[in-house]
Amino acid sequence: MRLRRIARWRALALVCLVQAPLAQAVPSFGEVRQDFSSSETRVLSREGELLQRVRTDSTVRRGDWVALGDVSAALRTAMLLSEDKRFYEHAGVDWAAVTSAAWGNLWNQRTRGASTISMQLAGLLDGDWRRSSGGRSVVQKVGQTVAAQVLDRRWQKTQILEAYLNLVPFRGELVGIDALSRTLFDKAPHGLDDREAAVAAALVRAPNARAVQVGQRACGVLKEMRRDPKVDCEAVVFFTEVALKKRAFDASEGIAPHFSRIALREARQATSSGTANKPPAAASLRTTLSAPLQRFAVDSLDQHLQALRSSNVQDGAVLVLDNASGEVLAWVGSSGALSQAQAVDAVLAPRQPGSTLKPFLYGQAIAEHKLTAASLIEDSPARIPTASGLYIPQNYDRSFKGWVSVRTALGASLNVPAVRTLVMVGVDDFFDQLVRLGMPMRESGSYFGYSLALGSPDIPLVQLTNAYRALANGGRYSPVAYTRGGKPAFRQAMDAGAAYVVGDMLADTNARVRTFGMDSVLGTRSWAAVKTGTSKDMRDNWAVGWSDRYTVGVWVGNASGEAMHSVSGTSGAAPVWASIMAFLHQGQPSRAPKPPADLRAQWVDFGPAPAGQSGAGFALEARREEWFLAGTAQPRFALDGQATGVDEMVGGRSVAGRSADSTSSAAPPAVRILAPANGTIVAVDPDIPPDRQRLQFVADSASARWRIDGKDVARGARWAWLPWPGRHQVELVNAQGEVLDSIRLEVRGAGVKHSKR
């Protein structure tokens, strides 16, 4: 027996000698604190404010490191009562508890474990001493015991308890008191009361036990804490069952969820490619976003969408870019709780941009010397032959303005002049221009045809806004910057002079009057250029523009693609755009840019309006100073000859209809239908609300009577018809009912719905 005892002590001594070097390798408190990492990355603003928490470690759930002073006294008490009552008395190992456990094992009695908090922490710090499913071996137990005593000598008791609370597993993936308290109790660790603390302490002993068992143990801890044996255990068990079902600590929480994912992805790519100056910290990432601006953009969009709920609008997006650097200053990807698709990032979602493509079209025409800002272009009914029929563009307000300048055509967002301009420029050339400005065009120019002028392709808000930023930078394009500190790589995508003229036109309040009126929300206190747009069937509404320092893009609509109800360019996205632009310049007004050296300013006069147009005989537009590219200036813009009727655009030419004074000396001309042409195929225009589009019928006699599908419908030289799908026969008859002329036409697409009043 004595030899056996000596052999055991020798084996124990040998184990101690082997484990001593491992125990001496116990890290310091500072090293443990520094190596700790949250399972979430804190996405910070450029000012250092917290914008978003994003979970980046799916294997475990850890919150922030919590100092012992920020842990409630109730939790500290519960943990010591449950795990180590003599924590402040022993030197890492509770030998009295070891002795008690040994006697219990000898007599097959169930006793409390002898593992102290220091010993448990040693196991958490080094996996070699961690308990496995089969328990610890003798070697592991000895190593853990030695390491616990080393910890107690080198660390302060408060440091041991603090590290333990931050590293101990509680339940499932939850590790550390911050993750536990925020997940199960939806509060910070300093706010835990005695009942919550008792549940937390009970979970340490049996992390994955059934809720009833955890509750019963928590009740025992609570009795010790309160020194009251009459604690209602049924209430504690019920409270525990409810708490263990909670998941209040969201995987991502904050005001920039969509941009945070992009920023983290860009940071990882920059780090892996070696382009970043310094890898981002595991716990935080400072981004380009401005916290005050992001909060204002979120609130502004939310408030406006609340006001538009009766118009069937639930989604929206906002993007703000710094003109000089291209850095993202605000990124609101959805309307949050108002949306049924919160996870969809509407800043990246391709949508039809409507009239917001017109500035690039006119800019190209000006750059190619095909137009100037003062050039006259006709806003009148037009039919354009295409492979599938006649394309007949119409205006938003279903009326035509006659001859107008390019400045007015763009400012008032007239559709027909834009299509005429596209005929001059060429569909494929304009398509290439959009590609140079960074827009992702998936098809070819011929695929879209002349509807390209009215915004038929799908383009995300981020690329559209950045293309406007190119206009703000004198036609120079550079990609959007998602990280700070980089130098933008500009390339010339549009003539600088043309870009300046386009900006000058979009900033001209007078140019918008014919469509938007004098008191439009688009009028800002300081200089800004802006364009609105509406897509087919009112599914999308846009407002994009820039000041001297910022470019702002706003989209509203429905992620589902459902149409809005009677939302115009100035009632949809424009109010949000205007409020954000005002916020950006509340302390520093925007100043108009300086014109390029090759631009020339000159006063111009306009000739008289032709007969039949509003204001006939008076100047088409008021005398004004206008900007011209070199070699394009002229002092007067007038019509050499006036024509009436309907133009047919053929091969880039405008073929005028019948002249106003064209009469026959032999016999009165036959009364005929001037528009639309026989065989016309009519489709819904991409930029016109369904309840506002009408097809214009024109005859060369004021006494004509109109009949459609055998039914009398109107009288006079002009008639505006609300189209309905199907094939129709239109007849022009005299007072006796005799048919003077007739045509057949087809209307394709959904029926026109009347607005609900």
Side-chain angles (χ1 to χ4, degrees), residues 411-412 509-523 570:
T509 302
N510 292 327
R512 293 193 290 262
V513 167
R514 293 201 177 188
T515 297
F516 300 102
M518 288 296 295
D519 57 348
S520 168
V521 69
L522 300 176
T570 54

Side-chain angles (χ1 to χ4, degrees), residues 46 259 287-289 319-330 469 479-486:
R46 62 195 307 118
F259 179 76
T287 67
T288 61
L289 290 193
L319 178 67
V320 181
L321 302 176
D322 181 271
N323 287 346
S325 65
E327 293 180 354
V328 179
L329 302 179
R469 173 177 159 260
V480 173
Y482 298 99
T483 56
R484 301 182 66 192

Side-chain angles (χ1 to χ4, degrees), residues 90-146:
H90 61 68
V93 179
D94 188 351
W95 294 109
V98 171
T99 303
S100 175
W103 277 106
N105 290 334
L106 180 63
W107 297 102
N108 294 322
Q109 293 178 346
R110 187 176 181 181
T111 62
R112 178 188 174 278
S115 180
T116 64
I117 286 179
S118 300
M119 294 171 68
Q120 293 181 51
L121 179 59
L124 295 172
L125 295 178
D126 193 323
D128 290 338
W129 305 322
R130 194 166 300 165
R131 181 186 181 92
S132 64
S133 58
R136 295 184 182 89
S137 66
V138 174
V139 174
Q140 287 178 313
K141 291 180 179 179
V142 172
Q144 184 187 30
T145 301
V146 175

